[in-house]
Amino acid sequence: MNYINNRLLLLSSKVEKATNVPTTNLAYYRVFFGLLLLLYFTPSWTWISDIPPAFFSPRIFSFAYLGDGYLPPYTYKAADISAIILIAMITLGIRTRLALIAMFILNSVFFSYSYSFGKIDHNTTFLIFTYLLLAFTNSGSEIALLKDKKISTEMQNISIAIIAIMICFGFFSAGISKFFRWIDFDLSTSGFLFWFNLEYFIGNSKMFLADKIFYMPIIVIECMDYCAAIFEVSALFFLLKGKKSWFIFLIISCVFHLSTLIFINIDFTLNVLTYGIFLFTPFFKNYSLPIKKHKIFKKILIYFVLLFTFIKIFLIVKTNQASITYDLGLTTETKNYINLFLWLFTILISFYILKKPIKFGLIKKNDTK
C-alpha cells in the first residue's frame, strides 16, 4: 500500500509540475477567454423554443429529463441574457469565481435541453467543466474590477491539473474505440473515410481540401487512421513526460483539429478556450497586455465589453434573434474561415513559444534537452 501511495504521489506531482500556470498569466488569460466567449463563442438556447416538441427526447441522465417537456420560451431567453452578463463579469473580473460557477450550472442545465434532439456536440463538455475548474483558481484575483479572495496555490495547481487530466480522458475515451477498430491492417476499410463520406455526401461539407481526399492513395488514408487512433490514446503519456511534452501534445491536438476542419469541415474550435489555458498563458509571461500599466487600455476594455454586452442583450430582447447573438448571424462558410484563422493563430503562437522553451518557462536552464 505504501508503494502504491508513493507512486500515486509521484504521478500527481508530475502532473502538477507539467500543468502549473502562474496566477498573473491566468488573470490575463481570463480576459482573453472572456473576450472570445463574448465575441464569438457565446452560448445560446433561445432557438430551442422554436423546435417542434415531437423532436424533444431528453436522455435519462440529464436535467432536461427531470422536466415535463419544454420550458417556457422566456426561460431560454433569460438563460441567454444571463450567460452574456456572466461572460461580461468574467472578462472584467467582477466576482469572477461566482460568475464561473454560475456559468457551469447554467450551461450544464440548458445544454441538456439543446442536446435533447438526438445530437450531442461533445466538444462543449471540455468548456463546461473548464468553467467550474477555473473557479477554483486565482484568475479573478488580479486584473479585475472586483477581485476574488485568493485561494491557496496548491488548490489552483490541482484545478489546472484536473483540466489537463480531463483533456487526456476526453482524447482517450474518443480514441480507444478507434484504436481497436481502425488499426486492422485492412486496406478495404477506413474509419476516416467513414466519417468523410458522411460529412461530404450527407452533410455537404465540401470546403477547403475536402475534394483532395479523392486523390489520396488508400495507404495514406490507412496511415491517417492509425496515427489518429494512436495519438488520441497517448495523451496521458505526454502529460507525464513533462511541461514541454504536454505543450507539444496540445500543439499536435490543434493540428489534428485543424485537419478535421479542412478535410471534413468538423468544428472543434471551442476547444481553443480550454487548450489556451496551457498554450497562451506562457506568452503572457513575457508579453503581458498593457492593461495593468496604462489606464486607457483598461477603459477601452470596459467600454467595449459593456457595449457588446448591451448590443447582444438588446438583440435578444427586441428582435428575438438568438442566432445573431450566438454567432453574429454568420454563414457556415464564414464561420469555417473564422475557425480556420483561430486554429492557425493558436498553432503559430504555440510554435513561437516552443522555439524559446527556456524563455517561456517550458523547461528550466539546467534541464537537459
Side-chain angles (χ1 to χ4, degrees):
M1 292 300 293
N2 285 336
Y3 173 80
I4 294 174
N5 184 59
N6 291 335
R7 297 303 296 179
L8 290 175
L9 288 174
L10 178 62
L11 290 175
S12 63
S13 176
K14 284 185 175 182
V15 172
E16 285 188 36
K17 288 180 180 179
T19 58
N20 71 86
V21 178
T23 295
T24 302
N25 295 7
L26 269 179
Y28 280 115
Y29 182 72
R30 188 207 73 239
V31 177
F32 177 77
F33 176 86
L35 285 174
L36 274 181
L37 276 171
L38 186 64
L39 295 176
Y40 188 60
F41 292 117
T42 311
S44 178
W45 301 284
T46 303
W47 58 270
I48 298 176
S49 59
D50 297 328
I51 305 296
F55 293 102
F56 186 73
S57 180
R59 307 290 180 177
I60 294 178
F61 297 104
S62 70
F63 290 103
Y65 190 81
L66 301 177
D68 184 18
Y70 278 1
L71 295 173
Y74 66 83
T75 307
Y76 301 112
K77 186 177 292 189
D80 281 7
I81 295 173
S82 299
I84 294 170
I85 293 173
L86 290 172
I87 291 170
M89 292 174 63
I90 292 169
T91 309
L92 298 176
I94 303 173
R95 304 297 184 193
T96 306
R97 185 168 293 120
L98 180 63
L100 285 166
I101 293 174
M103 276 295 284
F104 167 73
I105 297 172
L106 188 71
N107 281 258
S108 298
V109 172
F110 283 93
F111 269 121
S112 72
Y113 281 88
S114 62
Y115 293 154
S116 295
F117 305 99
K119 184 179 184 298
I120 297 177
D121 295 328
H122 54 275
N123 59 321
T124 56
T125 306
F126 281 170
L127 183 59
I128 291 174
F129 285 98
T130 297
Y131 290 130
L132 178 63
L133 292 165
L134 277 180
F136 294 95
T137 69
N138 290 312
S139 61
S141 64
E142 296 184 20
I143 318 171
L145 295 183
L146 287 176
K147 298 180 179 180
D148 289 335
K149 184 179 179 180
K150 284 196 172 185
I151 60 175
S152 67
T153 304
E154 182 182 4
M155 175 63 75
Q156 174 171 286
N157 291 342
I158 291 173
S159 297
I160 300 298
I162 293 175
I163 293 176
I165 293 172
M166 176 184 69
I167 294 173
C168 291
F169 177 77
F171 271 102
F172 182 83
S173 61
I176 190 64
S177 61
K178 295 186 183 76
F179 187 84
F180 289 111
R181 290 187 294 110
W182 290 15
I183 303 180
D184 55 6
F185 304 101
D186 183 359
L187 296 181
S188 65
T189 63
S190 171
F192 171 79
L193 284 181
F194 173 79
W195 288 106
F196 171 76
N197 289 332
L198 283 176
E199 295 298 325
Y200 190 90
F201 293 107
I202 298 178
N204 199 33
S205 300
K206 301 178 181 180
M207 287 187 65
F208 306 126
L209 303 180
D211 291 332
K212 304 301 181 184
I213 296 297
F214 297 106
Y215 302 98
M216 283 189 179
I218 189 64
I219 187 66
V220 174
I221 295 176
E222 187 76 358
C223 288
M224 291 169 63
D225 277 2
Y226 299 170
C227 290
I230 294 172
F231 164 71
E232 288 188 345
V233 299
S234 64
L236 189 59
F237 169 80
F238 282 89
L239 178 59
L240 295 176
K241 285 287 290 182
K243 198 177 190 71
K244 184 180 178 181
S245 176
W246 174 240
F247 193 85
I248 291 172
F249 172 82
L250 291 175
I251 296 177
I252 300 173
S253 301
C254 293
V255 175
F256 176 74
H257 291 315
L258 175 63
S259 66
T260 63
L261 177 64
I262 62 177
F263 287 120
I264 319 180
N265 301 167
I266 295 180
D267 175 27
F268 288 95
T269 317
L270 198 63
N271 288 351
V272 167
L273 293 170
T274 303
Y275 299 167
I277 295 171
F278 309 99
L279 293 177
F280 287 112
T281 48
F283 185 80
F284 295 133
K285 179 179 180 181
N286 296 88
Y287 300 98
S288 299
L289 298 175
I291 296 172
K292 198 171 184 179
K293 293 183 179 180
H294 304 285
K295 292 183 179 180
I296 184 64
F297 291 99
K298 184 177 181 180
K299 289 182 179 179
I300 291 174
L301 175 65
I302 293 173
Y303 292 144
F304 178 81
V305 171
L306 291 178
L307 176 62
F308 219 85
T309 300
F310 173 79
I311 291 173
K312 286 204 164 188
I313 293 176
F314 175 81
L315 289 172
I316 292 175
V317 174
K318 295 296 183 181
T319 66
N320 197 33
Q321 297 186 49
S323 62
I324 293 179
T325 64
Y326 173 60
D327 55 23
L328 306 179
L330 302 174
T331 63
T332 300
E333 289 76 13
T334 303
K335 287 188 289 183
N336 278 341
Y337 278 110
I338 294 175
N339 295 336
L340 178 67
F341 168 78
L342 287 173
W343 281 123
L344 290 174
F345 174 75
T346 304
I347 292 168
L348 289 174
I349 290 290
S350 302
F351 271 114
Y352 176 70
I353 294 171
L354 191 61
K355 284 181 63 178
K356 302 177 180 181
I358 296 177
K359 180 179 179 180
F360 290 102
L362 296 183
I363 61 174
K364 297 179 181 178
K365 290 183 179 180
N366 57 350
D367 287 344
T368 56
K369 293 185 179 180

